[in-house]
Amino acid sequence: MTDPEHPFPGPEVAVTQILVVTDLARSRAWWVEVLGASLYREYGGTSAVLRFAGTWLLLVTGGDPTPDKPGVALAAPGEPDRVSHAMTLKVPDCRAAYETLRDRGAEFLAPPYDWGAEVRAFTRDPDGHLVEISESVG
């Protein structure tokens, strides 16, 4: 139920994806040089804010709990074959995006796979965060 006096989310709300990384420079380079994100700003060598596909992406190095998140430590993925978060990029042509990204250095798990209504392929950033490129067909 929406409260007209206190709408949420309102037009001023923006979504930021946070990815915990082990090497900020390496991850920033991958997201900028391979996927085409643009650097907005960096903070103290521990975080970088990127603009990517109409949204914000925050790369942060791991860290211990803080007063605003007691008991919660940030850590990069430990097992690349066990995924709890993935990012999907909807593209008009999966095979063309695959070739472009591969030429820029992305390593894919497999070539684009045609599921009939969708063609998709998966790559990982340097810390193992799963990124899917997906094309809706027909």
Side-chain angles (χ1 to χ4, degrees):
M1 180 176 248
T2 303
D3 178 354
E5 291 187 40
H6 302 96
F8 187 87
E12 70 284 350
V13 173
V15 174
T16 300
Q17 294 284 324
I18 298 173
L19 298 180
V20 183
V21 301
T22 56
D23 182 325
L24 184 62
R26 178 185 70 177
S27 292
R28 181 192 62 239
W30 190 87
W31 283 95
V32 170
E33 295 168 14
V34 175
L35 286 194
S38 60
L39 178 64
Y40 179 73
R41 72 172 58 157
E42 289 187 78
Y43 298 97
T46 60
S47 64
V49 181
L50 307 176
R51 288 291 294 161
F52 179 66
T55 191
W56 297 101
L57 181 62
L58 177 60
L59 305 177
V60 299
T61 55
D64 292 329
T66 57
D68 58 340
K69 54 176 183 45
V72 177
L74 296 180
E79 298 179 54
D81 293 334
R82 298 187 64 82
V83 176
S84 64
H85 174 273
M87 183 182 301
T88 300
L89 309 176
K90 291 300 221 179
V91 298
D93 185 335
C94 183
R95 289 175 184 86
Y98 169 84
E99 292 299 333
T100 297
L101 297 177
R102 203 170 61 152
D103 289 347
R104 292 181 188 171
E107 295 178 16
F108 283 83
L109 280 61
Y113 189 87
D114 188 338
W115 288 93
E118 176 184 39
V119 178
R120 65 185 191 189
F122 293 86
T123 186
R124 290 187 175 119
D125 80 352
D127 284 288
H129 296 104
L130 195 61
V131 179
E132 171 189 352
I133 56 172
S134 173
E135 170 192 354
S136 295
V137 180

